Amino acid sequence: MNDSKTIAALDVGTGKMQVFIGEIIDGKLLNIVGLGQNSASDVKKGDIIDVRKAAASAQAALSNAEKTSGARIDGVCLGISGTHLRGFRNVGSANVSGADGVVGADDIRRACLDAQSKSISDDKVFIHNICCGYYLDGEYTTDPLGKKASHIDAEFYMLYGDSERIADAIHIVESFGLEVKYLVVNALACTRMVTTFKQRQEGVLVLDIGCGTTDYAFIKHDRTFQAGTIPVGGDHLTNDMSFGLRMSRKNAEKLKRRFGKLILTQEEAESSVWTEGDKQIGDRSIPLMSITKILRARMGELYGIVRGELEDFFIDGDVKEIVIVGGTSRMQGIRAFTEEFFGVPCFETKFSARVKPTLCHPEYAAALGLLDYSLARAESDAVGKKQSPLRSIISKIFKI
Amino acid sequence: MEVSSASNGQRSHGLKIKVVGIGGAGINALYKLCMENIPAVEFCAMDCDADILSQCAIAEKILLGKKSTRSMSAGGDSAAGEASAMEDLDSIKNAVAAVDLLFIIAGLGGGTGGGAAPIVARCAAEGGAKVISFCTMPFEVEGAQKKAEALEALRRLELESDATIPLPNDILLKNAPADAGLLDAFLKADTCMSMAVKSVCKMLLCTGLINIDFAVVKSLFAKKSRKTIFGIGCGSGADCVNSALADLSNCPLLNLPKAPEKADNVLINVICGADMGMNKLQYILESVSNMFSAKEKVRIGAIIDEAYRGRVEICVIGASGVSDGTQAAFGGGTPVRNAEHFEEKSRHGERIKARIKKKIFKPKPETETEQSEFSFMEMSKQRGFFEDTEPNMYRGEDLDVPTFMRKNIKIPL
């Protein structure tokens, strides 16, 4: 008999709360059985403004998902984002102890412990300690075990967040009587879902441009070298249009979805569009060029910040490709604009073959990635490779 | 005009070199260059302002944006400059067609220079030309906004050009006397640009003791590099070589805040009199190689010009941050590639540590919120949907305020 359990992935997004319910069969196979959505009006730039309202919104999404799937949720994989997330790189060192100069498991462990020994202030908590690779006498490798060297360095990227904000996010799930199984930074969640192994080996930058934030992650040698969140997203594009074209936010959003383009043809550059299209009182014509100017200014600025954060990787030519997901990735001309700005190819997002074609939408990438992450963790927990670090995060936050 | 015959020591190549001055600052510098009487080089002026073009004594002129700016200036709006260039794309393409080496000279931070220069560079590159851009950057006193616009234009120009050499007016003015006026500062920038263009043209067109031809320059920029190194040093007298080297190391263009200290490929051109000995050339080669830590990828050219008896001019042009594919520049094959690859890897460890220093708890300066340079008091209230959230500060600017407002981009309605 198959051993199956259900897990839900909750993506607390700025635009909406998304829940995917997946069934993990024999700890290996992931089957998506339910989907629930609800708008999230009390989340801005990835930060929860009103915990109560946000919890109500998340619970509605979870209930919807449970209803559509008919399954009962055992635990939740919670995706977080927001302005409070920060990261830094740290290198830990150890001398190879064996007389034969061969790197052993204990040498690696000591270097890793040294790298992770950095402490942060009490109001912050580590979410992920990601190993970016090792240096054996200064030479990079992903697998140092059994190789000859006198000195080993382990490079880690440490992602941390504000304890209070993370507690709020956990509270949203726990107030519904559910357990948070895994806590994942959204920037990391979707990377495996929308990139191929080859891309991750060569160097790929994944940009998840959502409503309130842009999550980025740079992966090379199949390891995450840097990830983070920039508090600018589709909401900023809408807000800019609302100011620039002097219209309500609602109309600006509508116009952005219908006519928002980052690249215009000569003909389009000279044409105009009607705000409502019904030619009634209040309807007016707006040059397409004006919409594009506003959008390009904002996207150019956002990309400038991304490049600034990953400057070293761009200078060294490590970023070989860019993948864009999230709601804003649907904007026309965004790929061409991305290539023009970064000078790096940006192809259409290809989802993992495990995802049903009907679910292959860029805005689902984060939630699907969370489920995928749950599966990977369930597999590793099943073979006893790793213990969940979530307990230590929770005990630090709640001072248990 | 193509160089079809050898005269006055000129080499016959069929090589077509063109210098395009874009916008007010570019045309001023171009005018200065015309006065230098460099043979076998074509000049072209491009601007949105019909008045400036009508006063300009350069034969080939292109008026940009007849419809969009109605032959008036771009008004300091780079978007208008860009739109004007797009409007007259065909004229630009015709002007840069069949050119082998195109020099773009422009002032960034304004309308036409900042907006049109990247487009001209792209047209030329698409036509197969190698594009070297010299651009002046505004003075600090001209304000942070103009500086930001200039940096953005520079970034775009770097993407389209094979080599881009920015000339910050502030740095050029540093070497000027204390009582130098604004005109002197601008003149300094014009002189610097014209010297640079003249030197590269001489390198390519004059018959030398050791020749550097266009193929060498082409291979130097076989792939677009991140940073370009460019410097000129002049010396005269008994110890002209050492004084030229000292002048070169003090060259403001080599001492820019973000100038790379190392170069992957370096080209040295020496213009000297017949009294220059081979040992002195060797000395120059070694000194410049050490200066840029580029020992095995250096190429030297020497031109004998009798007018230079007792003095010497050294022009250095190099590329830094070139990806692996260009390491074998100068057609010299691949002997150093594997060694470099190993070196690169071992250097990586050091770079990581440097990165960490930079990245660990990267302080988001809290004082930035109090920056007083921008008059944001009114603009800071323009946050709309984000009114009830904390300011979203990044480098002294609130990202929740619409970008076009902060960058002063005009939105026609």
Side-chain angles (χ1 to χ4, degrees):
Chain A
M1 199 177 121
N2 286 341
D3 169 30
S4 76
K5 62 175 180 178
T6 49
I7 188 150
L10 172 62
D11 172 19
V12 183
T14 306
K16 56 183 174 242
M17 302 272 183
Q18 272 186 151
V19 177
F20 272 94
I21 299 184
E23 203 175 22
I24 300 171
I25 302 162
D26 290 339
K28 282 178 187 167
L29 206 74
L30 180 69
N31 198 13
I32 295 161
V33 292
L35 164 69
Q37 282 183 347
N38 199 32
S39 62
S41 54
D42 290 288
V43 182
K44 282 186 181 174
K45 292 181 274 178
D47 293 334
I48 297 163
I49 307 288
D50 185 327
V51 181
R52 243 187 226 186
K53 285 184 184 168
S57 182
Q59 286 169 7
L62 282 160
S63 301
N64 283 345
E66 272 193 327
K67 267 184 212 159
T68 56
S69 65
R72 190 163 166 73
I73 298 169
D74 294 328
V76 172
C77 177
L78 178 63
I80 52 165
S81 183
T83 51
H84 62 103
L85 297 176
R86 294 272 185 278
F88 65 89
R89 207 175 296 282
N90 202 21
V91 173
S93 307
N95 286 324
V96 175
S97 54
D100 54 357
V102 173
V103 178
D106 190 51
D107 301 320
I108 300 172
R109 192 185 57 82
R110 278 188 291 119
C112 290
L113 280 177
D114 186 32
Q116 296 177 77
S117 61
K118 195 94 194 167
S119 59
I120 45 175
S121 61
D122 281 348
D123 58 339
K124 303 275 187 276
V125 62
F126 283 119
I127 307 164
H128 297 284
N129 296 344
I130 309 157
C131 180
C132 310
Y134 304 90
Y135 295 88
L136 296 180
D137 295 335
E139 192 161 350
Y140 182 81
T141 178
T142 50
D143 184 17
L145 192 67
K147 290 183 180 162
K148 279 207 161 189
S150 59
H151 189 80
I152 178 170
D153 290 320
E155 187 187 4
F156 270 71
Y157 189 69
M158 325 276 275
L159 262 170
Y160 65 95
D162 189 276
S163 313
E164 211 172 301
R165 307 252 177 123
I166 294 170
D168 284 348
I170 293 175
H171 179 73
I172 283 181
V173 177
E174 294 194 333
S175 64
F176 199 50
L178 290 173
E179 185 195 353
V180 176
K181 289 259 185 197
Y182 309 112
L183 188 66
V184 190
V185 171
N186 275 352
L188 300 180
C190 63
T191 54
R192 298 185 77 84
M193 192 50 79
V194 294
T195 55
T196 61
F197 177 71
K198 190 169 170 260
Q199 285 174 320
R200 294 195 297 272
Q201 272 293 334
E202 289 173 353
V204 63
L205 168 64
V206 179
L207 290 175
D208 181 356
I209 312 174
C211 255
T213 58
T214 296
D215 297 321
Y216 66 88
F218 171 68
I219 305 131
K220 199 181 174 181
H221 304 303
D222 200 23
R223 294 185 181 234
T224 305
F225 273 73
Q226 193 169 324
T229 298
I230 295 159
V232 173
D235 277 348
H236 288 83
L237 293 169
T238 308
N239 196 45
D240 290 7
M241 279 179 63
S242 163
F243 272 100
L245 307 175
R246 289 163 211 164
M247 57 173 62
S248 70
R249 201 182 126 70
K250 197 175 153 197
N251 284 345
E253 178 68 30
K254 234 165 49 182
L255 208 65
K256 181 183 85 176
R257 284 170 190 258
R258 280 171 64 201
F259 304 112
K261 285 182 179 179
L262 288 167
I263 306 265
L264 292 180
T265 61
Q266 188 70 37
E267 199 182 318
E268 284 170 335
E270 288 160 8
S271 61
S272 297
V273 292
W274 289 91
T275 51
E276 299 289 329
D278 56 4
K279 304 204 176 162
Q280 298 294 307
I281 294 169
D283 197 8
R284 62 196 166 101
S285 147
I286 286 172
L288 258 181
M289 182 54 106
S290 299
I291 300 175
T292 302
K293 260 186 168 184
I294 296 171
L295 298 178
R296 279 179 74 99
R298 176 59 82 173
M299 289 303 290
E301 181 177 62
L302 170 64
Y303 282 177
I305 298 172
V306 172
R307 196 176 36 201
E309 293 292 316
L310 298 166
E311 195 179 11
D312 296 329
F313 299 111
F314 276 106
I315 288 176
D316 293 346
D318 288 332
V319 182
K320 297 280 189 282
E321 207 176 305
I322 297 174
V323 170
I324 315 176
V325 292
T328 307
S329 69
R330 284 172 174 268
M331 187 177 290
Q332 294 179 57
I334 193 163
R335 263 172 273 283
F337 179 75
T338 309
E339 286 185 357
E340 181 189 308
F341 188 92
F342 290 106
V344 171
C346 175
F347 299 117
E348 190 130 349
T349 312
K350 281 180 197 146
F351 278 81
S352 158
R354 285 176 293 158
V355 181
K356 282 183 194 169
T358 49
L359 294 174
C360 290
H361 294 294
E363 53 266 59
Y364 291 162
L368 285 168
L370 290 171
L371 267 191
D372 188 53
Y373 181 89
S374 308
L375 175 65
R377 289 301 304 273
E379 277 176 15
S380 76
D381 287 352
V383 292
K385 271 188 193 164
K386 256 184 181 175
Q387 286 303 309
S388 162
L390 185 64
R391 182 143 291 283
S392 67
I393 295 175
I394 292 175
S395 44
K396 183 170 180 194
I397 292 173
F398 296 106
K399 303 201 179 350
I400 302 167
Chain B
M1 179 171 62
E2 286 194 356
V3 187
S4 53
S5 63
S7 63
N8 296 333
Q10 300 286 309
R11 281 180 278 161
S12 171
H13 297 290
L15 183 67
K16 193 171 173 184
I17 300 177
K18 197 165 202 172
V19 187
V20 179
I22 304 168
I27 291 174
N28 281 344
L30 187 72
Y31 207 65
K32 168 116 183 92
L33 199 59
C34 282
M35 301 297 178
E36 299 283 347
N37 195 20
I38 309 170
V41 175
E42 291 178 35
F43 298 98
C44 173
M46 296 184 189
D47 202 358
C48 295
D49 194 331
D51 284 346
I52 287 186
L53 281 183
S54 65
Q55 290 161 16
C56 162
I58 289 158
E60 190 180 354
K61 292 181 255 190
I62 296 175
L63 179 62
L64 303 174
K66 290 173 211 78
K67 282 185 203 160
S68 56
T69 63
R70 291 184 293 139
S71 304
M72 291 186 275
S73 80
D77 179 8
S78 62
E82 187 181 348
S84 307
M86 291 306 288
E87 192 184 311
D88 287 289
L89 206 58
D90 290 339
S91 313
I92 295 172
K93 280 183 179 168
N94 285 337
V96 297
V99 170
D100 295 301
L101 180 62
L102 183 83
F103 289 101
I104 289 178
I105 45 182
L108 302 186
T112 315
I119 292 169
V120 177
R122 189 192 307 158
C123 290
E126 281 169 2
K130 284 283 155 195
V131 183
I132 300 179
S133 302
F134 290 94
C135 46
T136 54
M137 305 297 282
F139 287 101
E140 288 285 334
V141 291
E142 290 180 78
Q145 189 181 321
K146 188 152 181 166
K147 190 181 165 193
E149 279 173 12
L151 286 173
E152 175 58 21
L154 175 67
R155 190 193 61 72
R156 293 180 54 217
L157 193 58
E158 275 176 340
L159 282 178
E160 306 295 352
S161 308
D162 294 285
T164 310
I165 297 109
L167 306 146
N169 280 334
D170 284 304
I171 289 181
L172 296 175
L173 195 61
K174 263 184 194 168
N175 291 357
D179 58 345
L182 198 61
L183 274 176
D184 295 326
F186 286 123
L187 196 65
K188 180 92 184 156
D190 295 348
T191 311
C192 203
M193 281 200 269
S194 69
M195 263 179 86
V197 173
K198 205 170 89 177
S199 189
V200 177
C201 291
K202 270 196 166 179
M203 185 196 296
L204 293 172
L205 297 172
C206 294
T207 310
L209 190 65
I210 307 167
N211 279 331
I212 285 180
D213 57 18
F214 184 54
V216 177
V217 175
K218 231 168 138 179
S219 63
L220 176 68
F221 301 114
K223 219 170 186 180
K224 286 186 170 71
S225 57
R226 288 284 308 170
K227 297 277 175 208
T228 307
I229 287 168
F230 193 93
I232 294 179
C234 301
S236 57
D239 196 15
C240 59
V241 170
N242 274 326
S243 74
L245 284 169
D247 191 37
L248 177 69
S249 67
N250 290 328
C251 175
L253 300 183
L254 291 174
N255 294 293
L256 303 180
K258 286 187 176 175
E261 286 167 3
K262 288 182 180 180
D264 294 316
N265 304 316
V266 173
L267 198 62
I268 308 162
N269 192 50
V270 180
I271 308 176
C272 53
D275 51 343
M276 173 69 70
M278 202 62 207
N279 57 340
K280 284 184 181 169
L281 270 184
Q282 181 66 24
Y283 177 65
I284 292 173
L285 177 70
E286 279 173 12
S287 307
V288 176
S289 304
N290 289 337
M291 203 183 281
F292 298 104
S293 315
K295 286 191 175 169
E296 291 171 66
K297 295 152 283 174
V298 180
R299 183 77 183 256
I300 192 163
I303 293 163
I304 304 291
D305 187 338
E306 273 314 300
Y308 278 74
R309 184 166 280 276
R311 65 190 177 103
V312 65
E313 182 183 304
I314 305 169
C315 169
V316 176
I317 184 161
S320 156
V322 183
S323 58
D324 283 349
T326 53
Q327 296 294 347
F330 309 132
T334 56
V336 295
R337 190 168 176 171
N338 288 337
E340 273 177 10
H341 188 62
F342 179 76
E343 238 177 74
E344 178 63 28
K345 279 197 161 186
S346 64
R347 278 203 305 265
H348 192 68
E350 285 169 39
R351 282 213 303 267
I352 298 273
K353 303 230 169 175
R355 261 186 223 160
I356 295 158
K357 275 188 193 163
K358 261 200 315 188
K359 302 274 174 182
I360 288 183
F361 297 113
K362 206 180 199 175
K364 299 274 173 193
E366 285 167 19
T367 49
E368 283 186 352
T369 53
E370 293 160 13
Q371 185 166 335
S372 58
E373 192 174 351
F374 299 95
S375 50
F376 267 155
M377 283 313 286
E378 281 179 22
M379 206 187 281
S380 63
K381 289 175 189 161
Q382 311 280 328
R383 306 179 78 233
F385 180 61
F386 304 105
E387 211 120 77
D388 53 351
T389 63
E390 285 172 27
N392 199 350
M393 298 311 288
Y394 183 82
R395 293 190 179 167
E397 294 189 24
D398 184 357
L399 296 179
D400 291 341
V401 175
T403 313
F404 73 89
M405 282 186 174
R406 283 180 281 121
K407 307 252 182 237
N408 206 14
I409 296 169
K410 289 167 203 145
I411 307 296
L413 285 176

